[in-house]
Amino acid sequence: MANHSALFELVRVRVLLFLREPEALFWVFIFPVLMAAALGFAFQGGEAPTARVRVLDGDGASALVERLSGAPGVPLELEIAPVAEEPELRRAITSGRIDVLLLPGDDLELVFDGQRPEGAAARTAVELALARTAPGAPLAEATLAPMQERGSRYVDFLLPGLLGLNLMSTGMWVIGFAVADLRQRKVLKRLLVTPMRRSSFLLSFLLARLVFLVMEVAALVLFGALVLDVPFRAGYVEFLVLTLLAAFTFAGLGLAVTSRAQTLQGASGLLNFAMLPMWLLSGVFFSYERFPEFLHPFLKLIPLSALNDALRATMLEGASLTTLLPELAILAAWAAAAFVVALTCFRWR
Amino acid sequence: MDRSRRYRLRRVVGETHKGAAVRVRGLVVRYGALTAVDGLDLEVRAGTCMGILGPNGAGKTTTIEVLEGLRDPDAGEVEVLGRTWSKDPQGIRERIGVQLQETDLQRKLTVIETLRMFQSFYREKRDLGEILELVGLTEKRRARVDDLSGGQRQRLTLGCALVNRPELLFLDEPTTGLDPQARRRVWEIVEEFKRAGGTALLTTHYMEEAERLADDLVVVDRGHVVARGTPMELIASLGATGVVRYAPRAGHEAAAAAISEAEFLALPGVRSLRVGNDSRELIVHDTQAAVVSLLGLFEARGIQLEDLSTHRPTLEDVFVALTGKQLRDG
Ligand SMILES: Nc1ncnc2c1ncn2[C@@H]1O[C@H](COP(=O)(O)OP(=O)(O)OP(=O)(O)O)[C@@H](O)[C@H]1O
Ligand SMILES: [Mg+2]
């Protein structure tokens, strides 16, 4: 009986302490939503913007402008620019103020910046316009159908990634930091001379984490659904199992990473060291498919990658538990390893 | 609930440990090459307060931490309330109360939340209203730990140490850094605990605190006990009836310093000499004879005094005589 009340009190204390930490509340609840909002609006789908094209003055410049402006179904912003401005126009491409520079002549030269998505799109638009206005063009009229379906836009890709990111960073920061703080201020040492069960203490962090998990996940998912119109096709059981498992995994990782840190600085260094690779490699903002092929099997094993893959599969495609099994297994393995490390290495003083 | 009532009954009827509450034999604790505790023996009789005096780094905290189960000894036997840490750690933890030398509380919790959390760890639970009353924080029960004064915070940590009605209370420098008023309040709480039959083990750098609270004292230096006894016994062990302190007037220091130790010791009534920064002290066994002959010596050398005073020997004098150090640094 004494132990139940001890665990209950410990959880209560953790919840109270968290609620009394305004900064933590901001980072856990508000920041992810702000980030989703900013990125969501910045990359919201819609008509591809009209390509901004400059044609350098010279032989055939006005004929070219006339030809391109007549291209069916390809709207272009066309202007003739003086020859002297060429260097400046090239710089304008680099900085994204215009998309394409055309140098008319026997061999038409098309200057663009393929690194920027807008540059590549503008190039395609110009080439399409040229093809359609070529003498005896076969495809007079093809309709462009940009992907506008819910669930396939960048926001839709992004939101589950942000949710995964938030589950990771909250889980690891809140717990890793709190424990290191208690250790540094010797509060742990004081608890150690009481009959408090060590396991109750560690468990209280997990349970307190669950209290906030619901709110934290709901904030992002609701914002996504209501404001950004991101679909939520996940089954409730799948979603619950996945987020719970993720919460445990990252809480465990937070405890494991900081299990020996003596100071807050030490703990935050270790936490950053553990989390930064995941920010970059786990497909939060862009798919990890962009990394070389031979890395993919390894990238998939990173806990946040597994979580993000599973979140996308369930939220966007409504994947079932059996489909999610590989990712769930990866997360569970990390959770188990983390708790073994946390329990064996944990430094109470 | 039922269980805790039985427990309390058992405690009242007195399965509690008779005789020594703490028994330490040949305790050795090393930190790498440094031997912090070096063959320390200690016995605390149940129902008494034992004070440990010693200069900084003497090994007091290390010893106490071994008794609290925070540190494993390298050698020696330790028995707390008739139990050993290896056999019955939870049994000991349930029955002790601890105030560490340096520890912090969770600052964003309130007084009552803090006490309630600590209370939840124990089977024996003392009423929190009673604790608040005892440590004088009833009015402050809803205040955050952050907003408490140093003295109030210290009383709260004491309250946390009392939530389980401990049989044995460890107090490691409970009043360091407090003003005299706040210090006195802490003493009253400890005295209350003693009146209720509790055993306490206290370290302190304040002689007044040791004299007031401790029934027995040990003086520890370099990890072992250099003297033990009641405060009275320790003072008597100096074999002195008084301490004479003098300071030469400006311009006379050199002449005063030129008097050799042998000359002082040759004076009637003088036992030993102690040289401080700005004053000198003679430990004397006949105050009147010593003062008269001392003044005669100064007269003969033409030395004028800024100040001359005498007092009965105190624990401070015992401490300095034993360790060559002041109780408090500086
Ligand atoms: N964790 C540690 N690691 C290494 N050395 C330590 C450690 N803790 C204490 N010591 C050393 O052990 C010796 C005894 O320290 P201890 O804290 O027991 O002294 P103390 O009597 O409590 O002193 P104080 O009056 O200053 O509190 C000191 O020399 C100290 O430097
Ligand atoms: Mg100490």
Side-chain angles (χ1 to χ4, degrees), chain A residues 142-175:
Chain A
T143 328
L144 294 181
M147 285 285 270
Q148 280 303 305
E149 196 195 338
R150 292 169 79 234
S152 59
R153 301 160 307 165
Y154 181 61
V155 241
D156 305 326
F157 173 83
L158 185 66
L159 197 92
L162 286 180
L163 186 56
L165 183 65
N166 203 40
L167 285 172
M168 172 190 76
S169 45
T170 319
M172 292 185 70
W173 272 118
V174 169
I175 292 179

Side-chain angles (χ1 to χ4, degrees), chain B residues 70-302:
Chain B
L70 286 171
R71 222 172 262 295
D72 288 330
D74 291 294
E77 285 163 38
V78 172
E79 213 180 273
V80 179
L81 298 170
R83 298 165 172 84
T84 59
W85 277 104
S86 55
K87 288 218 189 72
D88 188 9
Q90 289 303 73
I92 299 178
R93 290 193 184 107
E94 287 280 359
R95 290 170 177 78
I96 61 173
V98 171
Q99 186 169 42
L100 297 173
Q101 179 169 0
E102 41 169 342
T103 194
D104 211 341
L105 295 164
Q106 318 224 42
R107 297 183 201 167
K108 302 223 162 159
L109 289 183
T110 65
V111 168
I112 186 78
E113 286 163 355
T114 304
L115 288 171
R116 196 179 296 135
M117 180 184 78
F118 275 99
Q119 190 199 40
S120 76
F121 303 147
Y122 297 93
R123 292 191 208 171
E124 174 82 15
K125 297 175 197 294
R126 186 163 178 187
D127 178 57
L128 291 187
E130 212 177 297
I131 299 269
L132 284 169
E133 203 59 46
L134 178 66
V135 299
L137 290 173
T138 308
E139 252 101 274
K140 288 278 175 187
R141 57 193 317 216
R142 304 229 173 275
R144 297 255 177 108
V145 172
D146 238 351
D147 300 333
L148 297 180
S149 73
Q152 290 166 342
R153 213 175 287 187
Q154 200 69 358
R155 296 207 303 272
L156 176 57
T157 62
L158 201 48
C160 292
L162 294 170
V163 289
N164 59 329
R165 269 180 218 286
E167 292 171 37
L168 173 61
L169 185 59
F170 293 101
L171 301 167
D172 199 353
E173 301 194 23
T175 64
T176 297
L178 299 188
D179 66 44
Q181 180 72 26
R183 184 166 298 145
R184 217 151 277 137
R185 297 203 61 174
V186 169
W187 293 347
E188 282 160 14
I189 299 166
V190 177
E191 279 168 341
E192 166 69 36
F193 171 78
K194 282 177 62 183
R195 263 199 300 282
T199 310
L201 184 54
L202 164 90
T203 78
T204 181
H205 289 288
Y206 298 103
M207 169 190 60
E208 198 189 343
E209 184 165 297
E211 274 174 354
R212 176 152 170 188
L213 295 179
D215 303 300
D216 298 296
L217 287 171
V218 292
V219 181
V220 177
D221 196 17
R222 295 194 188 85
H224 55 259
V225 174
V226 293
R228 64 180 86 225
T230 64
M232 298 282 278
E233 285 167 355
L234 283 178
I235 292 168
S237 75
L238 267 182
T241 56
V243 177
V244 178
R245 174 194 287 247
Y246 69 88
R249 185 161 283 174
H252 294 260
E253 292 96 342
I259 306 175
S260 74
E261 188 169 352
E263 282 178 279
F264 279 116
L265 294 183
L267 295 175
V270 174
R271 263 194 110 84
S272 61
L273 168 75
R274 218 156 68 204
V275 182
N277 287 337
D278 46 3
S279 69
R280 293 173 166 224
E281 288 176 346
L282 298 176
I283 311 290
V284 302
H285 55 84
D286 181 342
T287 310
Q288 186 176 4
V291 170
V292 169
S293 57
L294 183 68
L295 289 177
L297 177 64
F298 289 147
E299 193 70 39
R301 303 282 167 95

Side-chain angles (χ1 to χ4, degrees), chain A residues 1 86 88 119 311:
Chain A
M1 180 219 127
E86 185 181 340
E88 199 199 320
L311 279 174

